[in-house]
Amino acid sequence: MIRREFIKKLIKGFFALTATVGTIIIAWFSYPSGIRQKKYTFFDLMDEEALPVRGVKRLDYLFKVDQLGSKLSRDLAGVVYIVNNTRKIYALSPVCTHLGCFVTFNRHKNEFTCPCHGGRYDTEGVVLGGPPPEPLTRLPLKVENGKVFVGFKI
Ligand code: FES
């Protein structure tokens, strides 16, 4: 009888350990290692005076390889939205959290919309509707010596 209980506990322990280890392995591999290990690199995007007094400003950026030093072997181009909601200034990534399309800002509705599946976000990046599972990503922003720097994972 004691032996039977011991074997039952041993089997339960084995399955519990297997489930835990399996979950950790799945979580590890489902989050790309490239993103996992990358840190933010700050780039000078604009002068402080060019910050929006209020509302949303789209910034198209292009960094040439020679500006980036040895970090990249290609130019880095993209879009970022700078938002001033009168309480704070922050940067939002335009990448939709559903399947990665680029959102655009609709001034009339005062919201970001995704052209792919109708995802909608408010100016804080919070999901208003559609399939996106998470808010837009906030990128770190800092102002130093009259310059606005935004952090990107490259
Ligand atoms: S990719 Fe934006 S809603 Fe699907």
Side-chain angles (χ1 to χ4, degrees):
M1 198 67 165
I2 293 173
R3 188 172 170 199
R4 177 179 275 174
E5 289 300 316
F6 175 75
I7 290 174
K8 277 184 179 177
K9 286 183 180 179
L10 193 64
I11 290 171
K12 281 182 183 176
F14 172 76
F15 281 113
L17 182 66
T18 303
T20 303
V21 170
T23 302
I24 291 170
I25 290 171
I26 289 169
W28 180 261
F29 283 105
S30 61
Y31 194 54
S33 63
I35 293 172
R36 205 170 40 231
Q37 294 169 354
K38 287 181 181 172
K39 294 184 177 173
Y40 285 104
T41 302
F42 283 86
F43 292 99
D44 169 6
L45 282 192
M46 59 199 246
D47 291 331
E48 186 177 1
E49 299 114 38
L51 280 170
V53 177
R54 185 170 190 204
V56 177
K57 182 174 191 163
R58 174 188 163 126
L59 270 181
D60 294 83
Y61 58 83
L62 171 63
F63 299 109
K64 304 300 283 178
V65 173
D66 55 344
Q67 290 174 283
L68 300 168
S70 61
K71 286 190 180 290
L72 289 176
S73 59
R74 58 179 167 72
D75 294 343
L76 177 67
V79 173
V80 65
Y81 287 99
I82 308 295
V83 184
N84 184 348
N85 71 2
T86 68
R87 293 188 312 272
K88 58 191 170 207
I89 296 173
Y90 48 89
L92 288 176
S93 164
V95 179
C96 181
T97 58
H98 180 222
L99 293 177
C101 292
F102 275 23
V103 301
T104 57
F105 184 65
N106 183 324
R107 290 198 186 285
H108 301 296
K109 292 182 177 176
N110 200 37
E111 65 184 36
F112 294 96
T113 54
C114 180
C116 294
H117 312 102
R120 297 169 44 233
Y121 303 86
D122 70 10
T123 56
E124 299 257 336
V126 174
V127 177
L128 295 173
E134 295 176 18
L136 292 174
T137 301
R138 284 199 185 195
L139 302 171
L141 180 149
K142 62 184 180 183
V143 179
E144 286 178 3
N145 303 322
K147 296 283 187 183
V148 177
F149 295 85
V150 175
F152 297 93
K153 287 186 175 181
I154 60 168

